[in-house]
Amino acid sequence: MRAARLIRMALLIQSNPGLTAAALARELEISERTVIRDAQALQEAGVPVRSARGRAGGYSLAAGYRTRLTTLRPGEAETLFLSGLPSALRDLGLSDAARTARLKLTATLLPSVRRAAESSVRRFHLDAPAWFREPSTPALLPELARAVWADRTVALSYTRPGRDGGPPSTVVRVVEPYGLVLKAGTWYAVARVPEEREDGGWRTYRVDRVTALGPAPGAEEPFVRDPDFELAAHWDARSAAFARTLLRTTVTVRLTDRGLWRLPAVVDGAAVADALASAGAPDAAGLVTLDLPAESEDVAFDQLARLGADAEVLAPAGLRARFRERAGALAALYRPGPGAAGVGPAAD
């Protein structure tokens, strides 16, 4: 641990000449007394660390000296591709490697280029998790990530949710983990089951449902990856296909221009695309009728209710009746007069 800290300290001083002991202490999360001891250790190891007192003082390296610690290791280089995802790096257990990689890279840059790199970090940030939820890091995610990096076949235990109110079940699979995907704060593993031929053996697992993970029996060598596999393209295709499998019912709806414009904000993209493909020409009043795929009438009710009077359900009859009941209840609730429907303030 101390050796890694000394390397980081040397790189920090090289990249930012004039850093004070207090600044180094904050960056390295150590005390100023430890900074002084570490500076002495670097000097004893042959690194010409210089210190200057006063307002313009701080630590620097001797003029013309540059460390030879800037060669990136494979793991550090790989993490640079994820450097815009700090939460993902933390979940994968790669925060320290990414921090060291960035320091090594910064130490090799010309001052003008270094300022440009620092400027971009201050201006752009990707926050992957969804709003109004506190994402949790799956306990086995770092270990699964190591298996992905190493192309190591693993045996995993996976909890399947129960169907139709039934209890969950646990299955054990031997898989070749090809990649990890972070979707709206939830981690998924894309893997191939070697012995399964259906659909190429490709499967997607929610990492937070993986309860156990270990080396596959007899799999001592890395598996051979399919050279044609591209994780992003695979995920996009499977996501679209999965979304369409959930659309089990169809709702005929008539929309205003505003309802048509707002539809993508309340309905899944795959359903919107199919609905627009079915849309007819606007009628005399400018209304457009289309067939909207939905998971169920309950889901369609919740989605279309957000469009208010900009959407009129024509079929199925049961769903139209639900909207009629909702409209009646709202009309009663908001009819003129104090204390209407028994929920307003009482009259004096």
Side-chain angles (χ1 to χ4, degrees):
M1 291 295 290
R2 190 191 183 201
R5 189 178 72 236
L6 291 174
I7 292 173
R8 287 189 60 204
M9 182 173 177
L11 291 170
L12 282 168
I13 294 172
Q14 178 172 303
S15 302
N16 304 277
L19 281 177
T20 64
L24 285 168
R26 287 193 301 271
E27 184 67 29
L28 297 171
E29 299 179 350
I30 56 178
S31 67
E32 293 186 34
R33 185 183 297 274
T34 302
V35 168
I36 295 172
R37 287 200 299 264
D38 284 354
Q40 293 172 345
L42 286 171
Q43 291 171 343
E44 293 170 2
V47 180
V49 177
R50 302 287 185 261
S51 61
R53 298 179 180 277
R55 295 181 59 185
Y59 287 93
S60 60
L61 300 181
Y65 179 87
R66 297 185 69 80
T67 72
R68 298 179 180 272
L69 303 172
T70 54
T71 300
L72 291 177
R73 294 182 180 134
E76 295 166 347
E78 288 161 345
T79 62
L80 285 178
F81 290 99
L82 297 173
S83 59
L85 292 167
S87 61
L89 287 169
R90 183 181 60 251
D91 291 351
L92 293 170
L94 298 174
S95 294
D96 290 340
R99 188 181 302 114
T100 302
R102 286 193 293 270
L103 278 173
K104 288 184 176 181
L105 184 60
T106 302
T108 66
L109 298 177
L110 295 172
S112 60
V113 180
R114 185 184 309 155
R115 286 192 294 272
E118 293 171 350
S119 176
S120 66
V121 171
R122 293 191 182 99
R123 285 169 170 79
F124 299 98
H125 172 69
L126 176 61
D127 185 10
W131 287 102
F132 310 122
R133 55 180 290 187
E134 185 65 30
S136 59
T137 302
L140 295 174
L141 178 61
E143 185 177 349
L144 186 54
R146 288 191 288 270
V148 170
W149 285 124
D151 295 335
R152 177 164 49 88
T153 305
V154 296
L156 59 81
S157 298
Y158 185 78
T159 300
R160 286 177 172 172
R163 294 184 177 181
D164 300 325
S169 60
T170 300
V171 296
V172 179
R173 291 284 185 271
V174 173
V175 302
E176 298 170 345
Y178 266 66
L180 292 165
V181 176
L182 179 61
K183 171 72 170 179
T186 301
W187 284 97
Y188 296 87
V190 176
R192 185 165 64 177
V193 182
E195 67 270 15
E196 292 190 8
R197 298 180 179 272
E198 180 184 357
D199 199 19
W202 294 107
R203 298 292 180 269
T204 301
Y205 302 94
R206 275 186 56 152
V207 180
D208 58 2
R209 293 177 182 167
V210 177
T211 57
L213 183 70
E220 299 179 358
E221 298 294 328
F223 65 84
V224 178
R225 293 177 66 92
D226 181 349
D228 296 327
F229 177 81
E230 294 184 5
L231 180 60
H234 175 91
W235 179 261
D236 288 345
R238 294 305 176 100
S239 297
F242 175 72
R244 281 189 164 84
T245 63
L246 299 177
L247 306 176
R248 302 185 180 94
T249 191
T250 301
V251 177
T252 302
V253 60
R254 187 156 51 205
L255 300 172
T256 65
D257 283 343
R258 186 169 184 272
L260 198 62
W261 175 73
R262 291 187 57 210
L263 189 64
V266 300
V267 177
D268 179 75
V272 171
D274 291 351
L276 295 179
S278 72
D283 60 17
L287 304 178
V288 174
T289 300
L290 48 78
D291 293 325
L292 176 67
E295 291 184 43
S296 65
E297 290 190 16
D298 287 340
V299 172
F301 182 80
D302 290 338
Q303 292 174 335
L304 294 175
R306 302 177 206 173
L307 299 181
D310 290 311
E312 178 190 2
V313 172
L314 304 179
L319 184 58
R320 182 176 174 85
R322 289 181 63 180
F323 273 99
R324 186 165 52 246
E325 292 173 4
R326 169 66 67 85
L330 288 173
L333 182 63
Y334 289 102
R335 69 174 180 263
V343 298
D348 292 333

